[in-house]
Amino acid sequence: MTARRSISLLVPTLLLGLAGCGPHGPAFSPVAQLPQDKALVYIYRTGALGAAVTYTVHSGNEDIVDLQTGGYYPYFAEPGEREFWARTEAKTSTTELLRAGETYYLQGGIGVGFFVGHPKLQFVSREVGEKEIKDCRLITKQ
Amino acid sequence: MIDRVVVGVAVALLAGCASISTSPRVTGGATGTTAVQGALDFDGNRDFLPAPLLALPPAEPGSTRVFRYRYDVHYDDTDLSALALFNPLTILGCPTGSVSVVTDATLEVTSSGDTVRRYAARTVASRLRTIYSGDPLSELRSRALRASAQSIAEQLAADGDVTASAQTRAAPTIDGGNR
């Protein structure tokens, strides 16, 4: 088998493999009713880089969601200062002061790592979040 | 060869460092002895309050002199991942990007509803990202908010009119905190 033929088989195989990695839930739709004693945090991830790497987003000791690229998850949080974190071979954390009745957007991503990509988590503005989350699909918990 | 190793190690060590800068900085203010009188309007984390405000009672509708403290945080991200993949020094810890936390803190002092003083402080805390490190944004945010609170405390300490007494005479509004 020539090198060219090997590559021509490898590329579609990889693409097919990655295609199966994304979330299969319904397309994004905003939460209809937000409980007044909670804050809503949309956790989402876009971008093709490191699509094969998923990581779990935590708040304190709670596992919230396994974040896949192209996916989002609405999380109802207790108001106050809340730290969200994720870890592959390195840990990333971010903290936000959450107010009851308000909506926040936590953008996930992936950065270059030694063996495995590093998670990136960052709160973004409503304008950025609303625009980016539109193309995401709901991550359904197993 | 040895030179390259030394440079690589130096880059790796420096990459783990965070830089932090705050403005304005006011020298000469003895923040530990600053006392203010009034009530506090604040709903954030008290760990990030300027020290002179810690002892103030919560503001109520009838409060005459109110100290209103607010902070805002946003992030800047520079991602050089695509370049890093082709940079042989990446494996030695050469930065693959950077992340910055910018905090803006403001303190408004009102007397009978009129703003008599306004102080502001901005802190930028930055950290280089490598293939060996994650993004400790929580830590950067905490350091930046404390630095901004310290700057506000220094400005308060340097402002005799506000700290000396509970007098409610009106004074011009001051942006940026420096007189």
Side-chain angles (χ1 to χ4, degrees), chain B residues 73-76 99-103 123-126 136-137 140-141 144:
Chain B
V73 181
H74 65 271
Y75 302 90
D76 289 327
V99 64
S100 299
V101 180
V102 182
T103 61
T123 299
V124 181
S126 304
L137 294 180
L140 283 181
R141 175 181 179 272

Side-chain angles (χ1 to χ4, degrees), chain B residues 128-151:
Chain B
L128 295 175
R129 181 185 292 137
T130 74
I131 60 169
Y132 302 106
S133 63
D135 289 343
L137 294 180
S138 294
E139 179 197 331
L140 283 181
R141 175 181 179 272
S142 175
R143 290 179 63 182
L145 285 171
R146 286 178 203 276
S148 287
Q150 176 66 18
S151 173

Side-chain angles (χ1 to χ4, degrees), chain A residues 81 83 93 95 99 118 120, chain B residues 43 79 131 133 135 137-138:
Chain A
E81 288 251 336
E83 183 182 60
S93 65
T95 301
R99 293 188 167 90
H118 295 177
K120 293 166 78 173
Chain B
D43 67 348
D79 191 359
I131 60 169
S133 63
D135 289 343
L137 294 180
S138 294

Side-chain angles (χ1 to χ4, degrees), chain A residues 5-84:
Chain A
R5 184 160 181 193
S6 299
I7 291 172
S8 67
L9 286 174
L10 183 63
V11 169
T13 306
L14 282 174
L15 288 175
L16 277 174
L18 290 175
C21 291
H24 301 287
F28 174 73
S29 67
V31 169
Q33 184 120 23
L34 170 60
Q36 286 306 301
D37 60 340
K38 302 278 188 186
L40 171 60
V41 181
Y42 283 116
I43 303 169
Y44 73 96
R45 182 176 158 194
T46 58
L49 181 68
V53 180
T54 63
Y55 49 83
T56 305
V57 178
H58 309 260
S59 177
N61 294 324
E62 181 185 358
D63 298 353
I64 300 175
V65 66
D66 292 335
L67 192 58
Q68 305 161 286
T69 194
Y72 83 96
Y73 185 77
Y75 174 64
F76 297 103
E78 294 294 329
E81 288 251 336
R82 293 283 171 266
E83 183 182 60
F84 295 83

Side-chain angles (χ1 to χ4, degrees), chain B residues 24-36:
Chain B
R25 297 307 305 262
V26 181
T27 55
T31 59
T33 58
T34 306
V36 294

